[in-house]
Amino acid sequence: MPKTKALPDVPRWAVRAAHAVPLVTLPSGLWRVALVAGLPVLGDADSEGFRTAWEPYYVISLSVVSELLALLTLGLVRSWGEVTPRWIPFVGGRPIHPLAAVIPAVLGATGLFALYGWYAYANFFTDLAPGSSGTPLQEAILVLCYAPLLAWAPLLLAVTFAYYRRRVPKARPAAA
């Protein structure tokens, strides 16, 4: 296994899962970049145009923000997830309370699961999702780029669970 900067007491599977999270978000981000670049990834020429001038910036921002959020998962297996880096003003060098990382991570994974549920509901049970307007090849590329996102929430929860188990000591039973 290649050397990583993970902490020594982190399980190997958690390190691999944490490193997988940014990789599962990358294909969808690249697909959105291709869309903004004008590559034929969406469908016919009528469906590829953006309705407003700011929409391409939103699409690129969505890609950047999702990748940055995915990279935060690495903090659950590295030292900067336990002690604030020294270069951060006022709080640099202070230990991070475990729940300050666990609660946002669990909320993020819950939000992702909610998005998965909403997409399934909108796409399969209602007419809320837009219809397919692309060729079979475009549809296949879309699915190949967005399917890995389904692994983001479970991977995040698994790494968060490992972080919590490592950082929060077990309660000892009271002596009788």
Side-chain angles (χ1 to χ4, degrees), residues 9-149:
D9 58 342
V10 177
R12 180 180 285 183
W13 66 265
V15 174
R16 288 182 177 169
H19 283 84
V21 170
L23 296 177
V24 300
T25 61
L26 189 59
S28 62
L30 293 176
W31 185 90
R32 289 189 293 268
V33 169
L35 176 69
V36 170
L39 298 175
V41 294
L42 189 57
D44 59 9
D46 295 334
S47 63
E48 287 191 50
F50 291 107
R51 288 174 265 177
T52 63
W54 60 268
E55 204 168 2
Y57 299 108
Y58 165 74
V59 172
I60 293 295
S61 298
L62 182 63
S63 298
V64 170
V65 168
S66 64
E67 197 62 36
L68 289 174
L69 289 172
L71 286 168
L72 284 176
T73 307
L74 295 174
L76 297 173
V77 298
R78 294 192 177 182
S79 62
W80 53 271
E82 295 186 6
V83 177
T84 310
R86 294 210 176 274
W87 57 267
I88 297 177
F90 306 113
V91 294
R94 293 185 184 173
I96 297 172
H97 192 279
L99 292 182
V102 170
I103 291 172
V106 170
L107 289 175
T110 303
L112 287 169
F113 278 123
L115 282 173
Y116 303 160
W118 170 252
Y119 176 78
Y121 172 74
N123 203 34
F124 301 119
F125 300 113
T126 69
D127 290 333
L128 296 175
S132 170
S133 63
T135 66
L137 178 61
Q138 290 169 329
E139 292 292 322
I141 291 171
L142 178 70
V143 169
L144 284 173
C145 289
Y146 273 86
L149 280 178

Side-chain angles (χ1 to χ4, degrees), residues 146-165:
Y146 273 86
L149 280 178
L150 294 174
W152 188 358
L155 286 171
L156 177 57
L157 280 180
V159 175
T160 304
F161 177 71
Y163 176 87
Y164 181 80
R165 285 193 60 194

